[in-house]
Amino acid sequence: MHKAFLVARHAYLEAVKKKSFLIATLGLPLLLVVVMVIAIVVQLSGSSKLPLGYVDHTGLFDPALWDRVERPPQVELVRFSETSEAQAALEAQEIQAYYVIPKDYLEAPLLELYYWETGPGELVVASFEGFMQFNLILQAPATARTRLLRGADLTIRSLDGRRQVGGDSFLNMILPFAAGFAFYFVVMSAGGYMLQAVTNEKENRTIEVLATSLSPEQLIGGKAVGLMAVVLTQLLLWGGVLVLVGLVGARYFPILYTLEMPWDLIGLVLLFFLPSYLLVASVMTAVGSVVVDQQQGQQIAGLLNMPFIFPLFFVGLIMTNPNSPMLVALTLFPTTSFITLTMRWGFT
């Protein structure tokens, strides 16, 4: 067991020190961070820090509740008694804009927004809408407040029951493709990493020396575990950066704040990913053990990769008829089950 651990550690450290690994591993997270930073800078550059004003002719909206909005903005809220006062403050550039809430707002829910050349930013507008909703909900009966705060959970289902779209349908459609892309990368990476498990030793003639002190199980198993840890390191790093970018971006982009994570789909991905990856690793390690050199193994691995990524060719069928007999068969077949199941889960 100790020898297998030493082989795994050596294989892991040897792989992570390569420039190709560092570029592939750090390139995507850096790209995500750069894109998010640019988007945040653009968002902040187009928004003003001046207070936001409003004129309430209904007397229903309390400015003291501004700080209790679910997405608190970085601006102050100022209430004016008359429109003339708000207009004077706008002309003096004391506020960036102001809303006028008419007296018959509850019968005709229309607002008037006044500003100069540039209106309030998206986050400020979303926060003011949340401020109004919060005030109106507090005036509802206590038994209805919790339900109103949660909002509606709408699920649209086809008559035949084969397709449905819920409130988290956006992530349900995005996550399967992201999981499929990650698995595709794993398959391609495993083809390169696992083929090197033994072929390098074969080519430089060190396999004879290793065979005298290690059993085949220790050698192959240790290298397989070490190289699997390499790919899992990449995925964990990417997933951590993606979560961090999402948490930071939610402070500046309301659409990210309102997204609900489909934990059932995430649990399914985690449950099926590791067994599927172990299957890929086993196949590629076996190929690397029997071929003469790495070039020959890569040619064979290209053919063996196809059964694992085969469902990606049926994306159109998954969207239109996710419960078709062909997709059910692909779900039951080991090499195609992961991608097929995650995509079907997102569209059914």
Side-chain angles (χ1 to χ4, degrees), residues 9-306:
R9 186 180 65 176
H10 174 74
Y12 179 82
L13 295 178
E14 185 182 22
V16 298
K17 290 179 181 179
K18 292 182 179 180
K19 293 183 179 180
S20 58
F21 174 83
L22 295 176
I23 294 175
T25 304
L26 301 179
L28 182 60
L30 288 177
L31 179 61
L32 288 175
V33 172
V34 169
V35 171
M36 180 57 66
V37 169
I38 293 176
I40 292 175
V41 170
V42 172
Q43 177 80 356
L44 294 179
S45 62
S47 60
S48 173
K49 296 298 183 181
L50 292 176
L52 176 69
Y54 78 101
V55 180
D56 179 18
H57 293 300
T58 64
L60 299 176
F61 301 96
D62 184 2
L65 299 177
W66 178 243
D67 294 333
R68 298 182 60 180
V69 178
E70 195 173 1
R71 294 186 300 272
Q74 303 299 320
V75 296
E76 181 186 356
L77 185 66
V78 180
R79 179 178 180 177
F80 296 96
S81 340
E82 300 293 339
T83 304
S84 57
E85 298 178 2
Q87 183 65 29
L90 180 63
E91 294 176 355
Q93 297 185 353
E94 297 176 357
I95 57 175
Q96 57 176 303
Y98 69 91
Y99 284 92
V100 176
I101 305 175
K103 190 174 184 179
D104 59 345
Y105 175 76
L106 296 180
E107 289 75 22
L110 296 176
L111 299 178
E112 296 178 358
L113 174 63
Y114 294 89
Y115 58 89
W116 288 115
E117 296 180 357
T118 305
E122 180 183 358
L123 183 59
V124 176
V125 173
S127 298
F128 188 77
E129 292 175 353
F131 162 73
M132 296 186 64
Q133 294 172 0
F134 189 70
N135 276 268
L136 294 175
I137 289 174
L138 290 182
Q139 300 174 34
T143 55
R145 290 176 188 172
T146 302
R147 191 58 183 159
L148 291 172
L149 287 172
R150 289 185 56 187
D153 187 8
L154 177 64
T155 299
I156 303 175
R157 184 177 292 107
S158 61
L159 291 177
D160 56 10
R162 294 187 301 176
R163 298 187 63 197
Q164 70 180 36
V165 179
D168 57 353
S169 59
F170 176 75
L171 283 181
N172 271 346
M173 290 184 291
I174 295 298
L175 283 181
F177 286 98
F181 171 78
F183 190 71
Y184 172 77
F185 171 80
V186 166
V187 171
M188 301 305 293
S189 298
Y193 289 144
M194 297 303 172
L195 287 174
Q196 297 175 10
V198 182
T199 52
N200 288 341
E201 282 74 7
K202 285 184 177 181
E203 294 177 358
N204 57 27
R205 312 300 295 180
T206 59
I207 188 67
E208 291 85 352
V209 178
L210 294 175
T212 61
S213 57
L214 296 172
S215 66
E217 291 80 7
Q218 291 173 336
L219 177 61
I220 301 300
K223 282 185 171 291
V225 171
L227 295 175
M228 283 191 293
V230 171
V231 178
L232 293 178
T233 299
Q234 289 180 316
L235 295 178
L236 290 175
L237 179 61
W238 290 358
V241 172
L242 185 62
V243 171
L244 181 61
V245 168
L247 293 176
V248 174
R251 295 177 56 87
Y252 301 94
F253 302 98
I255 188 174
L256 295 178
Y257 191 92
T258 57
L259 290 179
E260 295 184 4
M261 297 299 295
W263 296 110
D264 53 351
L265 178 58
I266 295 176
L268 182 75
V269 170
L270 296 177
L271 181 64
F272 275 78
F273 182 85
L274 187 58
S276 301
Y277 177 65
L278 291 176
L279 178 60
V280 177
S282 302
V283 172
M284 295 305 171
T285 303
V287 173
S289 302
V290 299
V291 297
V292 178
D293 53 32
Q294 186 175 350
Q295 182 177 1
Q296 181 182 4
Q298 288 177 344
Q299 296 173 351
I300 300 176
L303 297 176
L304 296 178
N305 286 338
M306 291 301 298

Side-chain angles (χ1 to χ4, degrees), residues 312-328:
L312 295 177
F313 296 98
F314 295 92
V315 173
L317 181 61
I318 293 174
M319 290 182 177
T320 56
N321 189 11
N323 291 326
S324 65
M326 176 179 291
L327 296 179
V328 173

